[in-house]
Amino acid sequence: QMNEPIGNRIKTLMLNMERCRWIPPSLTKADEYVMVNIPSFRLFFVKNGKYDLVSEVFVGTELTKTIIFSGKIDRIVFSPYWYVPQSIIKNELKSQMAENKNYLAEHNMEWNNGQVRQKPGPNNSLGLVKFLFPNPNDIYLHDTPAKSLFQFEKRTFSHGCINVKKAKELAIAILKDNPEWPIDKINKAMDGTKETPYILPKKIPIYIGYFTAWVDEKGNVSFFQDVYDRDANLDKILFPQDTTFNQ
């Protein structure tokens, strides 16, 4: 890190200044919003212009990259079912079920109208809560029972969805001013026995972005690994003449 030429750092900052232009202007004007930065593996819940909650996350692998886009969180689902995508059934579950006829039962799974789903519970792949925002890629935020994965520095483990370490705390933060959802009711809804969806009365904007340089609220600059190798392509577009910055 110390041997990185200053010109490279300047260029990285410029690339990410360009990415800032892609953020919907309505996002930062909202009273509250969620932002996920893929390279830093961090989620930020911003309320009234300040960080209300910061959580570590893990994101999609190189083959199942998490998509960059904006949306609006419209519901929270406590103790969710996990409906296994057909791609996972085809590439993973079929061979496991062929080897072990009790595979579904052993993993708290069942067939439901031609689909495989995992029933609510502490070992559910979505954990105890998920946050939905309609999008064509079926990406969402969710809890995870695989807490040990957060100890890794590079956290690209999922099939594309965003696994949130502080998922319960995020639900509490979002519902903090909602008298219908005191903490004891949230705890009960997350007991893992019955799926409980709740449609938010006010949708919360969310932006899933890709920033390899980030400036925090105190003005400190951090640089992050280009986990999906996106900087090089943007560099070619913005600086086709191989511009260098050494001053």
Side-chain angles (χ1 to χ4, degrees):
Q1 292 291 323
M2 294 295 291
N3 290 330
E4 187 73 25
I6 186 64
N8 290 358
R9 293 301 196 199
I10 293 172
K11 184 175 285 189
T12 298
L13 286 170
M14 296 181 73
L15 294 177
N16 285 279
M17 289 171 68
E18 171 63 22
R19 290 183 174 121
C20 286
R21 297 176 58 200
W22 307 346
I23 299 174
S26 59
L27 183 81
T28 54
K29 294 178 182 178
D31 295 336
E32 55 184 8
Y33 63 89
V34 172
M35 178 176 283
V36 176
N37 184 21
I38 294 170
S40 69
F41 308 109
R42 291 286 189 278
L43 174 147
F44 306 88
F45 177 49
V46 180
K47 196 166 185 177
N48 298 320
K50 297 181 180 181
Y51 292 161
D52 195 70
L53 178 112
V54 179
S55 176
E56 296 177 339
V57 302
F58 62 81
V59 298
T61 66
E62 179 66 26
L63 293 177
T64 55
K65 296 182 179 70
T66 297
I67 304 298
I68 299 169
F69 70 97
S70 61
K72 291 188 176 181
I73 301 173
D74 65 358
R75 72 189 62 197
I76 300 174
V77 181
F78 297 100
S79 299
Y81 283 100
W82 176 43
Y83 288 87
V84 184
Q86 289 299 319
S87 59
I88 296 179
I89 294 175
K90 178 181 178 181
N91 298 325
E92 300 176 31
L93 286 192
K94 278 191 174 181
S95 60
Q96 293 165 328
M97 287 187 288
E99 294 177 5
N100 179 6
K101 64 180 181 180
N102 297 318
Y103 181 87
L104 293 184
E106 290 174 1
H107 291 80
N108 203 29
M109 293 180 175
E110 62 184 6
W111 285 100
N112 178 262
N113 296 326
Q115 291 182 289
V116 176
R117 68 179 185 181
Q118 189 176 36
K119 292 181 281 188
N123 294 319
N124 185 287
S125 293
L126 304 185
L128 298 177
V129 62
K130 67 179 180 180
F131 307 82
L132 300 182
F133 37 97
N135 63 88
N137 297 291
D138 198 26
I139 300 297
Y140 47 90
L141 308 176
H142 64 83
D143 184 26
T144 176
K147 302 297 186 186
S148 62
L149 294 179
F150 291 107
Q151 68 182 302
F152 292 93
E153 182 176 351
K154 183 179 179 181
R155 297 190 291 275
T156 51
F157 303 114
S158 81
H159 289 86
C161 286
I162 298 153
N163 294 242
V164 184
K165 184 177 183 179
K166 296 182 179 179
K168 178 179 179 179
E169 291 87 341
L170 178 60
I172 292 172
I174 289 175
L175 298 172
K176 182 166 55 179
D177 299 324
N178 189 326
E180 296 180 23
W181 283 94
I183 292 180
D184 59 342
K185 183 176 178 179
I186 292 174
N187 288 331
K188 185 176 181 180
M190 293 178 70
D191 64 8
T193 59
K194 179 182 177 183
E195 183 175 85
T196 304
Y198 175 65
I199 298 176
L200 296 175
K202 181 181 178 182
K203 297 178 182 179
I204 299 175
I206 180 170
Y207 183 72
I208 301 173
Y210 193 93
F211 299 95
T212 52
W214 187 268
V215 182
D216 67 17
E217 72 276 19
K218 296 180 180 179
N220 299 313
V221 181
S222 298
F223 295 91
F224 306 105
Q225 183 181 355
D226 185 10
V227 291
Y228 292 161
D229 297 320
R230 294 184 182 274
D231 278 4
N233 290 333
L234 184 57
D235 188 347
K236 291 177 183 178
I237 296 172
L238 294 183
F239 308 110
Q241 303 303 318
D242 191 26
T243 307
T244 57
F245 301 91
N246 295 310
Q247 301 298 320

